[in-house]
Amino acid sequence: QVQLEESGGGLVQAGGSLTLSCAASGRRTFSDQIMAWFRQGPGKEREFVARISWSGGRSTYADSVKGRFTAYRDNAKNTMYLQMNNLKSEDTAVYYCANYGGGWYAGKAPEDWGQGTQVTVSS
């Protein structure tokens, strides 16, 4: 099991930027874990945002954030990040980090979740 803790959320104006962090701890080696970001907006279901490979060399994004958000990780610090630029009101959501363990395939559910951090974008 991996314990995940998000931070960095807050209130930002539309067009602004914000960087979220996800600190991992536990018995599993962080660099062996495929990590991801999800979000849940008000009245909406939780949705995929980004996924990043073990080394950070490969990332996948939802179409809604492609070109604006960048996921990256520092395995030496057991931390994953989400750089969010050109934020829009529709990005308002609770953002969660998640862990897929050592592998990912379509339809696989994350193994562990953080508690979430609120991002509010004012227009």
Side-chain angles (χ1 to χ4, degrees):
Q1 188 176 6
V2 176
Q3 288 76 47
L4 303 171
E5 183 173 2
E6 304 92 340
S7 61
L11 175 64
V12 62
Q13 289 187 334
S17 298
L18 206 58
T19 299
L20 305 182
S21 299
C22 172
S25 61
R27 303 182 70 177
R28 290 187 177 180
T29 302
F30 180 70
S31 59
D32 292 341
Q33 312 301 309
I34 294 176
M35 301 295 296
W37 289 98
F38 287 78
R39 68 185 182 185
Q40 186 168 15
K44 299 180 181 179
E45 294 187 353
R46 191 175 298 188
E47 63 176 358
F48 166 79
V49 173
R51 185 173 60 251
I52 188 166
S53 62
W54 304 283
S55 67
R58 181 175 180 178
S59 300
T60 303
Y61 299 92
D63 288 344
S64 59
V65 306
K66 202 171 294 183
R68 299 188 298 121
F69 289 12
T70 302
Y72 59 102
R73 62 194 294 168
D74 185 339
N75 287 341
K77 295 183 177 180
N78 291 348
T79 303
M80 175 180 64
Y81 304 90
L82 185 67
Q83 172 69 43
M84 305 184 293
N85 297 327
N86 190 22
L87 283 160
K88 305 176 181 180
S89 57
E90 51 263 44
D91 295 319
T92 294
V94 177
Y95 283 72
Y96 300 88
C97 65
N99 162 43
Y100 279 108
W104 175 87
Y105 54 82
K108 180 180 181 181
E111 298 180 2
D112 304 288
W113 294 91
Q115 83 289 349
T117 185
Q118 176 71 46
V119 172
T120 303
V121 183
S122 64
S123 57

